[in-house]
């Protein structure tokens, strides 16, 4: 049995990732700040053994306990999906130190805690895949998101460093960089009035939001060593062409 750990799985991308891995035969350790009841029920219905890990990934001792629980139950870790994250839409000049620090604690430091703790098992077994859910905000600058952008740029840097350090010992590390995904977090962000659906779909060459399934299928690909065993240290944009497109707006829309 292969074991996957997924953080931030109570909703959105993480919930979809858990379902995708459950249908592919993984046992799942599911983390969030609250019990991921619906996610667990869906995964169990697909036949996956489940362990819920409730707690804050920015707490190093909490994450160490997660790893101990997984080791005690299954004795191994094959896939880690660092999906948990928070947003912060505030102009840079009014972003507080506390806001900046909290985003880094969850989006970057939490991912490091999980990678460090679960890599111990992966390195011991000379195999494993760590998949960090970054963002196109880790590849380009997006206004009013200075803390979020910094955290995702940092996550991509960490991905490359771990790939260089652990790849020779059998543990791959890659990042997925979604464009805008239609999730509960997007709905909450849009409620602030800073952007509309049309702002996103007009900017994306493919003319739509990403779906959680778009991201989950990429996770499943990177998790499987038979399909992606020589892919290591990459930041893969799943963005409908957003970061590839230098076209101005009127020309882009003319090609719809």
């Amino acid at each position: 049995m292969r074991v996957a750990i997924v953080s931030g799985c109570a909703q959105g991308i993480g919930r979809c990732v858990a379902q995708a891995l459950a249908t592919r035969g993984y046992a799942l350790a599911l983390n969030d700040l609250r019990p991921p009841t619906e996610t667990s029920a869906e995964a169990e219905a697909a036949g996956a053994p489940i362990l819920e890990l409730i707690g804050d990934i920015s707490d190093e001792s909490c994450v160490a306990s997660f790893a101990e629980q997984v080791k005690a139950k299954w004795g191994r870790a094959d896939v880690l999906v660092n999906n948990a994250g928070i947003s912060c839409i505030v102009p840079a000049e009014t972003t507080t130190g506390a806001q900046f620090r909290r985003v880094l604690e969850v989006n970057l430091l939490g991912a490091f805690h999980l990678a460090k703790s679960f890599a111990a098992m992966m390195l011991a077994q000379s195999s494993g895949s760590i998949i960090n859910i970054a963002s196109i905000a880790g590849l380009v600058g997006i206004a009013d998101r200075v803390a979020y952008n910094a955290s995702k740029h940092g996550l991509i840097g960490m991905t490359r460093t771990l790939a260089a350090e652990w790849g020779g010992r059998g543990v791959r590390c890659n990042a997925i960089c979604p464009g805008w995904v239609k999730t509960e977090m997007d709905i909450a962000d849009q409620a602030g009035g800073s952007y509309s659906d049309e702002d996103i779909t007009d900017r994306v060459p493919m003319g739509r939001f990403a779906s959680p399934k778009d991201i989950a299928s990429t996770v499943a690909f990177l998790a499987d060593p038979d399909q992606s065993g020589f892919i290591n240290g990459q930041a893969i944009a799943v963005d409908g062409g957003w970061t590839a497109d230098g076209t101005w707006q009127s020309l882009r829309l003319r090609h719809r």
Side-chain angles (χ1 to χ4, degrees), residues 18 59 63 98-99 117 141 149 173 179 209 221 242:
D59 182 335
V63 172
Q99 288 172 321
S117 293
N149 292 356
C173 189
F209 279 73
F221 168 72
W242 180 305

Side-chain angles (χ1 to χ4, degrees), residues 26-83:
Y26 288 84
L28 295 177
L30 301 175
N31 159 260
D32 214 301
L33 287 172
R34 61 177 174 87
T37 306
E38 296 86 356
T39 306
S40 294
E42 290 170 352
E44 286 180 323
I50 296 297
L51 174 64
E52 292 188 354
L53 305 171
I54 313 305
D56 184 350
I57 61 169
S58 68
D59 182 335
E60 187 172 13
S61 62
C62 185
V63 172
S65 171
F66 293 165
E68 290 169 4
Q69 291 176 61
V70 170
K71 187 174 183 178
K73 187 172 181 67
W74 290 306
R76 63 184 298 111
D78 299 285
V79 176
L80 167 65
V81 184
N82 273 318
N83 171 71

Side-chain angles (χ1 to χ4, degrees), residues 165-180:
E165 192 165 338
W166 293 341
R169 299 165 68 187
V171 179
R172 297 180 296 120
C173 189
N174 292 286
I176 298 172
C177 301
W180 257 257

Side-chain angles (χ1 to χ4, degrees), residues 129-217:
S129 177
I130 297 171
I131 303 162
N132 296 321
I133 306 301
S135 169
I136 59 170
L139 300 171
V140 298
I142 299 176
D144 297 335
R145 291 158 175 81
V146 65
Y148 186 80
N149 292 356
S151 72
K152 295 302 186 178
H153 276 76
L155 188 58
I156 291 171
M158 186 182 83
T159 297
R160 291 169 174 156
T161 302
L162 297 182
E165 192 165 338
W166 293 341
R169 299 165 68 187
V171 179
R172 297 180 296 120
C173 189
N174 292 286
I176 298 172
C177 301
W180 257 257
V181 186
K182 185 54 72 174
T183 63
E184 295 87 343
M185 188 166 82
D186 171 75
I187 292 168
D189 286 349
Q190 274 202 42
S194 62
Y195 66 95
S196 67
D197 278 2
E198 290 72 24
D199 289 329
I200 304 305
T201 57
D202 285 355
R203 177 63 182 80
V204 179
M206 293 185 71
R208 67 172 176 87
F209 279 73
S211 72
K213 286 185 178 180
D214 292 323
I215 313 309
S217 62

